[in-house]
Amino acid sequence: MAAVTSPRLSNFAEHVLCPAPSGPITRSTTAFKKSSVPLVVTQHCRIDFALFLFSETTSVGEMDVNDCERYNVDREDGTDETDLLIQNTLNSETQERLLLRKLDLRILPILCLLYLFAYLDRSNLGNARLQGLPEDILGGDPTGVLFDWVNSTFFFTYILLQLPFTVMSKYYNPRIWIGSSAILWGICSTSMATAYDFTGLVIARLGLGTFEAAFGGSVVLYFSFYYTKAEYGTRIAYWFGFAAVAGAFGGLFAYGIQHVKVSIANWRLLFLLEGTPTILLGVICLFMLPDRPESTPFLTKAERKIAISRMNRGTRGDIGVVVRRSNVTSLQLSKTGGQIYVAAIIYFGLNCALASLSAFLPTIIATMGHTNAMAQLMTVPPYAMAGCVLIVTSYISDRLQIRGPLLVCTCIIGGLGYMMLLGTTHQQDIRYAATFLITSGTYASLGLMLAWFSHNLGSETKKATGIPLYGAIGQCGSILGSHLYPLTEGPAYTNGFTVSALLLFLAALCALLLSISFRLDNVWRDQRYGKPDPNDMVDTSELADKAPGFRYIP
């Protein structure tokens, strides 16, 4: 390499090694305003370093990656592993913080609002029940069996299609996939308002489950494109927390609808007003949601390199449309395969409790002696508390980088709430207080669970298969939860409360065992391979979570 007379040459030599020049490229450094010495570099050098070489004040880590474009220095558009490793040194905390804020302001409002209406559309049957739906199209349904089947049919298609849809989503542009899913489930939701019998309502619910299956798993995967493991749990909490917001908002909205005098049934108006915004949000998503980091026009070239670097900290993201079959088959062949099924047991118990809350909380509160309208209004405070607890626990888990111990605590809190309902049939204040424990424990547990395995599966493809796999098995708990509270067992609901409590305690035990397993595995790898830098890129493309440099979050 030709000599460069610059006080920063040693700094350059320490951070990049260029091969012998096959044809040097000369740039005058007068553009840098710090020196007039000509700069000679090779064609193979990463020109990103050229800027700070001639700065007396700029050190490694302080360089603005936009400078390459500002000074018109040539750089390659392609991204390889060298780029990913170099960026960890070049990007300052300020630049990354600005990028994170930009991503949050664009991604979170769209996806959180979509989940708000997704959850409203799936759970508004509980409010519609108190507004006369069974009397109008289910023949009164004195036993509540028909209503239970209408509620549970959503989960049939949701469970069967979640795994193939999440894997398929890797082949498509995220904004097109997610936006189209939202439009289609919004149409299914509004069509529930046109149902005139049991069959019509079931068909609409099956369609709703189909297109929401395309949404849930793909969004959990999508978050891993842009957020590191230290940020992921909190963002998942913001997103999933809107399920609790949906419960609170749904109760308020249903209370208002109950007092509206219109020419159609109140429950039909409820379905129309909660389904239509979903369609509009889906259209917005088609144009506003960023694509994958390496291809989105939402980011500048410099921001794109920072985003790609971030998604490769402690793991390695895929570039472009890739589905690695070896990662899919490893779910059955590796130790993680067993952990997936333990996770499915946890998720089963949590979803049983969640489905029970969504469909029957207004009914349970109504058995405490309140009117139907007041029962809908009284569902708001428990859901509001649940949202706050979810955010706090997820923030703590991100800061401490632990999930399992917190999940054990929140599952026990939810189980204790069900035990209080079981033991206090006539003390209405205590029963109402128990609903706060149930909602807080259940929602916080689900948020922690989603964040936990999204990292611990290692590779992007394994996440795309593992998340919906344990999710599909776990969603079977939603079907069980939909049949635990027949009207004939009210107001005690002994069987429903007992099963829900036992499943949450079982989930706590499984979470404890999983956390210990992950922690022991990390200790064994540290002893065998040494402790890795948590910000290093780990090649998980083939071995996924079994890569020597990968570490689980316990």
Side-chain angles (χ1 to χ4, degrees):
M1 181 187 298
V4 180
T5 54
S6 168
R8 309 295 288 188
L9 177 58
S10 59
N11 200 355
F12 174 76
E14 290 174 4
H15 292 86
V16 65
L17 179 62
C18 296
S22 57
I25 304 169
T26 303
R27 291 280 186 269
S28 173
T29 57
T30 53
F32 297 100
K33 302 180 182 179
K34 293 282 182 112
S35 171
S36 59
V37 181
L39 168 67
V40 181
V41 296
T42 73
Q43 291 175 337
H44 305 284
C45 285
R46 293 285 180 252
I47 310 301
D48 303 64
F49 287 95
L51 297 175
F52 69 81
L53 302 183
F54 296 93
S55 169
E56 297 294 332
T57 59
T58 304
S59 61
V60 177
E62 297 176 349
M63 176 191 158
D64 184 351
V65 295
N66 292 308
D67 288 341
C68 288
E69 295 167 348
R70 188 158 62 239
Y71 293 117
N72 197 29
V73 177
D74 293 347
R75 53 190 275 172
E76 298 180 17
D77 290 330
T79 300
D80 57 20
E81 294 183 15
T82 307
D83 290 316
L84 302 178
L85 293 171
I86 288 174
Q87 292 306 310
N88 285 328
T89 304
L90 289 179
N91 298 322
S92 68
E93 292 183 4
T94 301
Q95 291 170 317
E96 189 167 332
R97 189 165 57 249
L98 291 173
L99 174 61
L100 184 60
R101 184 183 306 166
K102 179 177 180 178
L103 293 171
D104 283 344
L105 291 176
R106 175 63 68 89
I107 293 173
L108 291 180
I110 296 174
L111 294 183
C112 288
L113 285 174
L114 277 176
Y115 196 65
L116 168 68
F117 284 98
Y119 206 80
L120 280 175
D121 293 341
R122 123 180 20 172
S123 62
N124 52 17
L125 275 178
N127 297 117
R129 185 183 203 179
L130 299 184
Q131 294 179 351
L133 182 147
E135 290 75 16
D136 288 348
I137 62 175
L138 298 180
D141 192 24
T143 63
V145 173
L146 291 178
F147 177 84
D148 292 350
W149 280 110
V150 169
N151 185 52
S152 61
T153 50
F154 166 88
F155 298 103
F156 295 151
T157 50
Y158 189 83
I159 290 169
L160 291 173
L161 297 174
Q162 193 173 32
L163 175 57
F165 277 177
T166 305
V167 175
M168 287 173 58
S169 70
K170 280 181 59 64
Y171 288 108
Y172 296 92
N173 190 310
R175 62 183 173 85
I176 301 297
W177 181 270
I178 295 173
S180 299
S181 302
I183 293 171
L184 291 170
W185 97 61
I187 292 172
C188 292
S189 179
T190 54
S191 67
M192 290 170 62
T194 66
Y196 282 91
D197 56 18
F198 173 78
T199 303
L201 205 54
V202 165
I203 292 173
R205 292 282 292 180
L206 288 172
L208 187 65
T210 297
F211 298 114
E212 284 204 28
F215 171 73
S218 61
V219 169
V220 174
L221 179 64
Y222 177 81
F223 275 120
S224 69
F225 297 163
Y226 285 103
Y227 295 107
T228 67
K229 65 179 182 180
E231 303 158 353
Y232 190 87
T234 305
R235 270 64 186 184
I236 285 288
Y238 292 153
W239 175 71
F240 186 74
F242 272 71
V245 174
F249 176 76
L252 282 172
F253 196 68
Y255 179 78
I257 294 293
Q258 187 89 357
H259 295 84
V260 173
K261 304 300 180 183
V262 290
S263 58
I264 61 174
N266 292 118
W267 62 268
R268 295 187 189 275
L269 182 62
L270 180 71
F271 289 148
L272 284 172
L273 293 182
E274 289 184 351
T276 304
T278 305
I279 301 174
L280 299 177
L281 280 170
V283 174
I284 293 173
C285 182
L286 291 176
F287 296 98
M288 299 292 290
L289 190 68
D291 301 331
R292 292 180 60 92
E294 68 271 12
S295 60
T296 179
F298 172 64
L299 302 178
T300 65
K301 288 183 179 179
E303 290 170 338
R304 194 175 299 131
K305 295 191 75 174
I306 300 174
I308 293 172
S309 172
R310 284 164 47 82
M311 74 182 291
N312 285 277
R313 288 182 186 169
T315 180
R316 179 180 178 179
D318 293 337
I319 300 297
V321 178
V322 178
V323 173
R324 302 183 187 276
R325 295 183 181 180
S326 60
N327 290 176
V328 178
T329 56
S330 67
L331 281 173
Q332 286 77 32
L333 300 176
S334 70
K335 178 183 174 182
T336 313
Q339 293 168 342
I340 285 289
Y341 297 113
V342 176
I345 295 173
I346 300 173
Y347 208 55
F348 183 96
L350 296 178
N351 276 290
C352 179
L354 184 65
S356 302
L357 286 172
S358 303
F360 299 104
L361 185 59
T363 302
I364 292 169
I365 293 178
T367 62
M368 298 177 187
H370 303 288
T371 64
N372 287 347
M374 183 56 65
Q376 293 177 112
L377 187 61
M378 290 184 68
T379 62
V380 175
Y383 281 120
M385 173 67 78
C388 294
V389 173
L390 170 62
I391 297 297
V392 171
T393 54
S394 297
Y395 177 78
I396 293 172
S397 76
D398 270 354
R399 292 297 299 268
L400 301 179
Q401 284 297 283
I402 58 171
R403 312 271 196 233
L406 290 173
L407 182 56
V408 172
C409 295
T410 52
C411 286
I412 290 174
I413 289 172
L416 290 175
Y418 277 113
M419 295 297 290
M420 289 172 62
L421 287 178
L422 194 61
T424 55
T425 306
H426 302 293
Q427 296 171 284
Q428 306 307 335
D429 291 343
I430 296 179
R431 285 169 66 84
Y432 187 57
T435 64
F436 284 81
L437 295 181
I438 295 169
T439 53
S440 298
T442 302
Y443 277 91
S445 298
L446 280 164
L448 290 168
M449 187 66 198
L450 289 171
W452 197 11
F453 266 76
S454 295
H455 169 77
N456 283 358
L457 289 172
S459 73
E460 191 176 306
T461 297
K462 200 165 184 178
K463 293 173 188 176
T465 51
I467 292 171
L469 178 59
Y470 81 72
I473 298 172
Q475 285 292 350
C476 294
S478 300
I479 298 177
L480 174 62
S482 300
H483 293 273
L484 286 179
Y485 299 90
L487 291 177
T488 53
E489 292 192 6
Y493 294 114
T494 303
N495 291 333
F497 295 152
T498 302
V499 171
S500 297
L502 290 177
L503 286 174
L504 283 175
F505 289 139
L506 177 61
L509 176 61
C510 291
L512 178 62
L513 294 176
L514 267 183
S515 182
I516 294 173
S517 173
F518 287 139
R519 196 175 294 274
L520 291 176
D521 202 306
N522 286 346
V523 171
W524 179 83
R525 294 189 194 191
D526 286 346
Q527 292 174 347
R528 183 168 183 176
Y529 304 112
K531 276 199 170 186
D533 186 328
N535 290 327
D536 281 350
M537 183 180 72
V538 178
D539 187 359
T540 57
S541 57
E542 295 299 330
L543 297 177
D545 58 307
K546 297 307 171 186
F550 183 83
R551 296 296 181 271
Y552 297 107
I553 296 179

